[in-house]
Amino acid sequence: MTFSHFTVKKIVHGAGSISLAPAEVKKLGGRKAFIITDPGLAKIGVQKPLEEALSADGIEWALFDKAELEPSMDSIQACADAAKAFGADVLIGFGGGSALDTAKAASVLLSNEGPIDRYFGMNLVPHPTMPKILIPTTAGTGSEMTNISVLADTKNGGKKGVVSEFMYADTVILDAGLTLGLPPRVTAFTGVDAFVHAMESYCGLAATPITDALNLAAMRLVAGNIRQAYANGSNIAARDAMMYGSALAGMGFGNTQNGIIHAIGTTLPVECHIPHGLAMAVCSPFSVGFNAIANPEKYAVVADILRGDDRSFSMSVMERAADVEDAFRALLRDLGIQTGLANYGVKREDLPACADRAFAAKRLLNNNPRQASRDQILAMLEANFEN
Ligand SMILES: [Fe+2]
């Protein structure tokens, strides 16, 4: 069997590395930088240090602050049109997953014919995209490291992905200083999402020795620092570790896929407005409990990482693997995250449709270590509705 492993071209990292953004713009031949962020971040002015650094270095810039939480096709077109009108030669995606996904998709339209939906699917983008720098402001999605942009398909409903080797960032800047202001709940949700990316990629069927190395490091960094970052948001060492953990997980799952946690978590009713990371957290314990027997060796390692303890000398592989669900619940308790779908507005009568949608998510389930039927998924949802 043969594999290919892809990743971004360059990573600039370390607390304070945002100050290097102007030099990176110039290295990409840029003179006019187009910053893409979301309205929430722009309102607080998180991007101000970036704008000031660019101005101080004589780089013209413009701000697009309309990246949508679930980017629509129209919002991508509007972003690309504004960048074109400005005469942009470099894009800077700045924010959480939605801002970065907007930047990735807009970069496609700046050197390829629109509309964006003609590129829904794998590797359909014919020409290289406009150069882009991606700067995450949360430690969670790992979107800065992947080549996929997830968009709302406003014509046919649902979400679709544009996946292309041309969408990898030219440069990623990882500056944990940008995450210091994240509230504890957001720190917890996004951090658990990063852990789930690494875990689903590590235990998944498409894992390779390369993704294993990335994902093991990612899980250790996140599990070893998420409580500290949640308890004290200004703990820069913990923030730094979380930023690296999230990025390494992105480098891992971007080359494999996620698994059943994402299959179920992303199909909870949209009207409940459950943040992505929270949905992952709620669906994790029962999913790892279900999966563990499919790959006890790997789930034993995951359980040990969650417990912060190598128990390979004192417990059997099966004992450690059987502990993975409880170990995950212990993490969520420390982070103040309740499980039980009923806590989040999901109704019992929603569950069959959730199971239908999760079972249809073949891209994710095909990487899951344990085969799951629609009825098994429904049984898990019902058993975990109130606990
Ligand atoms: Fe995720």
Side-chain angles (χ1 to χ4, degrees):
M1 210 165 170
T2 61
F3 301 89
S4 299
H5 186 92
F6 293 93
T7 196
V8 301
K9 295 194 185 83
K10 180 177 183 182
I11 305 167
V12 176
H13 51 100
S17 53
I18 189 77
S19 64
L20 302 174
E24 295 306 320
V25 170
K26 287 180 180 169
K27 282 175 193 162
L28 293 173
R31 299 152 68 91
K32 298 188 81 170
F34 192 71
I35 305 167
I36 298 159
T37 192
D38 66 59
L41 285 177
K43 203 171 157 197
I44 326 170
V46 184
Q47 81 290 354
K48 289 276 185 238
L50 171 64
E51 295 171 353
E52 285 161 13
L54 293 171
S55 295
D57 228 330
I59 296 169
E60 260 191 85
W61 56 268
L63 178 68
F64 178 85
D65 61 1
K66 299 182 188 69
E68 296 176 342
L69 188 58
E70 291 182 345
S72 63
M73 291 157 50
D74 287 348
S75 76
I76 301 304
Q77 191 65 54
C79 179
D81 290 347
K84 199 174 282 179
F86 171 63
D89 46 23
V90 168
L91 301 183
I92 304 180
F94 183 94
S98 53
L100 304 186
D101 279 11
T102 300
K104 284 191 272 189
S107 76
V108 170
L109 291 186
L110 287 159
S111 55
N112 293 274
E113 285 287 311
I116 192 70
D117 61 340
R118 66 197 293 177
Y119 306 119
F120 282 154
M122 298 287 290
N123 292 320
L124 300 175
V125 178
H127 305 297
T129 62
M130 180 172 280
K132 57 194 159 296
I133 299 173
L134 299 181
I135 307 175
T137 61
T138 62
T141 68
S143 173
E144 70 277 9
M145 293 299 182
T146 72
N147 64 339
I148 181 168
S149 177
V150 180
L151 308 175
D153 180 354
T154 25
K155 279 184 196 159
N156 304 302
K159 289 183 185 178
K160 296 269 169 62
V162 179
V163 184
S164 164
E165 289 167 30
F166 294 132
M167 278 163 59
Y168 282 108
D170 295 273
T171 307
V172 167
I173 298 180
L174 301 176
D175 183 347
L178 298 169
T179 67
L180 290 173
L182 285 178
R185 293 282 284 170
V186 180
T187 301
F189 299 165
T190 52
V192 169
D193 187 33
F195 187 88
V196 170
H197 293 153
M199 178 176 68
E200 295 215 276
S201 179
Y202 175 67
C203 298
L205 300 178
T208 71
I210 298 174
T211 58
D212 281 355
L214 295 164
N215 290 321
L216 281 167
M219 286 189 287
R220 291 188 176 115
L221 283 163
V222 174
N225 290 278
I226 190 170
R227 291 172 174 88
Q228 296 90 320
Y230 169 76
N232 177 5
S234 59
N235 181 338
I236 187 69
R239 292 292 199 188
D240 213 29
M242 293 295 292
M243 183 60 94
Y244 283 115
S246 167
L248 289 168
M251 294 166 83
F253 88 84
N255 280 280
T256 59
Q257 262 309 329
N258 283 297
I260 196 168
I261 301 171
H262 275 76
I264 300 176
T266 53
T267 47
L268 299 180
V270 280
E271 60 274 18
C272 296
H273 300 291
I274 305 172
H276 175 81
L278 176 58
M280 297 306 119
V282 172
C283 296
S284 284
F286 64 79
S287 296
V288 294
F290 174 77
N291 273 353
I293 60 164
N295 196 336
E297 287 82 5
K298 282 196 160 177
Y299 280 101
V301 172
V302 173
D304 281 6
I305 291 172
L306 284 165
R307 295 289 191 190
D309 188 12
D310 178 0
R311 301 170 297 177
S312 56
F313 297 103
S314 57
M315 290 168 67
S316 71
V317 165
M318 292 308 292
E319 284 171 330
R320 290 151 63 218
D323 177 51
V324 70
E325 178 169 349
D326 287 344
F328 216 111
R329 289 191 191 279
L331 172 66
L332 299 184
R333 264 196 307 279
D334 285 351
L335 300 175
I337 298 175
Q338 284 182 294
T339 52
L341 297 164
N343 292 313
Y344 301 102
V346 180
K347 299 189 195 72
R348 203 174 274 281
E349 56 265 31
D350 295 332
L351 300 183
C354 291
D356 289 342
R357 289 192 291 268
F359 185 64
K362 295 295 177 213
R363 176 176 62 90
L364 296 162
L365 291 182
N366 285 345
N367 184 45
N368 198 60
R370 182 169 179 182
Q371 292 189 338
S373 69
R374 182 258 183 204
D375 289 349
Q376 284 172 313
I377 294 172
L378 181 57
M380 278 191 272
L381 289 169
E382 285 176 341
N384 290 277
F385 184 64
E386 272 169 347
N387 70 355

